[in-house]
Amino acid sequence: MRRSNVLNLGIKELRSLYRDVALLLLIAWAFTLGVYTAASSMPESLHHASLAVVDEDRSPLSMRIINAFQPPFFLPPQLIDLNQMDRGMDAGDYTFTLNIPPNFQRDLLAGRQPTAQLNVDATQVSQAFTGAGYIQSIAASEIAEFLQRHRGGSNQAVELEMRVAFNPNLTRSWFGSVMEVINQITMLSIILTGAALIREREHGTVEHLLVMPVTPLEIMLGKVWSMGLVVLGATALSLVVVVQGWLQVPIEGSLWLFLFGAALHLFATTSMGIFFGTVARSMPQLGLLIILVLMPLQILSGGTTPRESMPEVVQYIMLVAPTTHFVSLAQAILYRGAGLAIVWPQLLAILGIGALFFFGALARFRKTLAQMA
């Protein structure tokens, strides 16, 4: 293997990519607007839910409960009459309606157990279940504090103090933006290398390579380093400009350590792209093949849901996927500020899996070139 051949073949791939406007636009969109929209379009578990209250008690306690529902979880509660409650729910004007009955405060202070009615529009599935729990918790907290002030009571023997680490405000955009960058690294590295090989076949330049003094290893390395470099550069710009600058998401750990791990991950995913390029015969076939593989990689790697919540069989199977270890590495570095002493097992796993994928793709690539020759 000659380094000059690998360098020149990689430069050739960069020139071909430069002339492919569609792929350049895809890269630009994926690491800018794609990351921004994925972060900003992820709503909180409860965000600006509409709430109407029928206050038949009109007591200090009922006003206290009403005033407890504040943005950003709820819109300012609307006070309505009892005859407007069903009509507003039927029209979809309110996701929740709370009916506080007459003499609610008096019965509560008298030791009775009055009942307030909460109506939930279950067609708003994303907010119905979570919002009902929020309303019950807020109302119960206000009632308990109200009773303690009027009746008096002993303090609890144990007080639980919650401290939220790494994301104190539980802002979902922090999670969504970084995970979208990770997903784009996997997706674009596979697409670019696979498309580069398909482009060679469609333009007939593979035959030219076969008569040149280059080996399949040199051809494959040229595609790997060039496409990997493009994705790595776009990743660095996206993290600095879009994630840290535009979205104001803090990066806790070393950006250089993450980029090193991303380079190892790209070694595996670009090899996967070349393997898919040898299997597919056209760009549409490549796209369908990537969809079948990419979706499980992204969903089951731990980026969407924790791996611990998956069946054990799936957890063991996904250990052979480089995305599983890369997601764990990225979350440890970017979220928790982990160093090399913590993430070295993931780095070794990615390197080993990448080597297996590379040599498997190389064997397939050699067989494909031999058939074409």
Side-chain angles (χ1 to χ4, degrees):
M1 184 183 67
R2 286 178 292 180
R3 297 177 184 176
S4 59
N5 286 346
V6 176
L7 177 63
N8 291 326
L9 288 170
I11 294 175
K12 177 187 74 68
E13 296 297 335
L14 293 176
R15 289 175 177 172
S16 299
L17 178 63
Y18 177 75
R19 293 191 292 267
D20 196 327
V21 179
L23 285 180
L24 290 178
L25 291 176
L26 176 62
I27 297 171
W29 179 87
F31 283 103
T32 54
L33 294 178
V35 174
Y36 179 80
T37 54
S40 58
S41 64
M42 287 186 68
E44 305 300 324
S45 56
L46 188 68
H47 186 71
H48 285 177
S50 56
L51 171 66
V53 180
V54 179
D55 186 8
E56 297 183 283
D57 189 29
R58 299 188 181 277
S59 63
L61 176 59
S62 64
M63 293 304 300
R64 181 187 183 120
I65 295 175
I66 294 171
N67 293 331
F69 301 108
Q70 298 290 336
F73 298 119
F74 296 94
L75 293 171
Q78 299 185 34
L79 295 177
I80 60 175
D81 297 330
L82 184 62
N83 58 0
Q84 296 177 300
M85 183 172 65
D86 290 339
R87 186 168 62 250
M89 292 288 289
D90 293 339
D93 296 333
Y94 318 116
T95 305
F96 306 96
T97 56
L98 178 64
N99 183 12
I100 303 177
N103 303 321
F104 182 76
Q105 176 179 312
R106 186 186 67 182
D107 293 343
L108 191 67
L109 292 175
R112 305 185 186 97
Q113 294 183 345
T115 301
Q117 182 183 24
L118 175 64
N119 300 312
V120 182
D121 181 4
T123 60
Q124 304 289 340
V125 179
S126 61
Q127 293 187 339
F129 179 77
T130 306
Y134 272 58
I135 293 174
Q136 292 178 11
S137 177
I138 291 173
S141 176
E142 294 297 327
I143 291 172
E145 188 173 344
F146 178 82
L147 288 177
Q148 184 177 1
R149 178 175 300 177
H150 283 77
R151 292 180 179 175
S154 59
N155 295 329
Q156 297 180 356
V158 177
E159 182 178 358
L160 179 64
E161 181 177 353
M162 182 176 66
R163 296 182 179 178
V164 181
F166 313 119
N167 189 354
N169 295 325
L170 301 178
T171 306
R172 290 200 171 190
S173 62
W174 289 20
F175 177 82
S177 59
V178 174
M179 291 311 304
E180 186 64 18
V181 172
I182 295 172
N183 291 335
Q184 299 295 2
I185 292 173
T186 303
M187 180 187 72
L188 284 177
S189 58
I190 296 176
I191 290 177
L192 291 180
T193 49
L197 189 56
I198 296 293
R199 187 168 52 238
E200 296 272 16
R201 184 180 299 144
E202 290 179 346
H203 294 174
T205 54
V206 176
E207 289 79 2
H208 297 169
L209 293 175
L210 293 176
V211 298
M212 295 176 63
V214 293
T215 64
L217 177 61
E218 293 171 349
I219 298 174
M220 185 171 169
L221 284 175
K223 298 181 185 299
V224 167
W225 81 257
S226 57
M227 297 299 101
L229 181 63
V230 171
V231 176
L232 195 64
T235 301
L237 288 176
S238 180
L239 286 174
V240 173
V241 177
V242 179
V243 176
Q244 289 184 303
W246 196 356
L247 294 169
Q248 298 295 312
V249 177
I251 300 298
E252 297 294 336
S254 170
L255 185 60
W256 292 107
L257 181 59
F258 169 75
L259 292 177
F260 176 71
L264 294 181
H265 179 64
L266 288 169
F267 177 58
T269 53
T270 51
S271 301
M272 293 172 61
I274 291 177
F275 180 84
F276 294 151
T278 60
V279 175
R281 298 299 176 184
S282 62
M283 288 291 188
Q285 288 185 8
L286 177 66
L288 292 174
L289 186 60
I290 289 176
I291 291 174
L292 292 176
V293 176
L294 191 63
M295 293 301 293
L297 286 179
Q298 293 183 349
I299 295 175
L300 302 177
S301 60
T304 304
T305 57
R307 294 184 63 247
E308 294 77 10
S309 62
M310 303 177 190
E312 290 187 3
V313 176
V314 176
Q315 295 183 36
Y316 291 133
I317 292 175
M318 289 305 296
L319 287 177
V320 301
T323 51
T324 301
H325 306 281
F326 181 57
V327 168
S328 176
L329 175 143
Q331 291 179 346
I333 296 175
L334 300 180
Y335 292 151
R336 299 187 291 273
L340 182 61
I342 296 177
V343 300
W344 68 265
Q346 287 82 11
L347 292 173
L348 288 180
I350 295 173
L351 180 61
I353 296 172
L356 291 176
F357 280 26
F358 179 83
F359 289 111
L362 179 60
R364 173 73 185 182
F365 186 51
R366 282 173 173 166
K367 182 178 179 181
T368 303
L369 291 181
Q371 292 174 351
M372 297 181 63

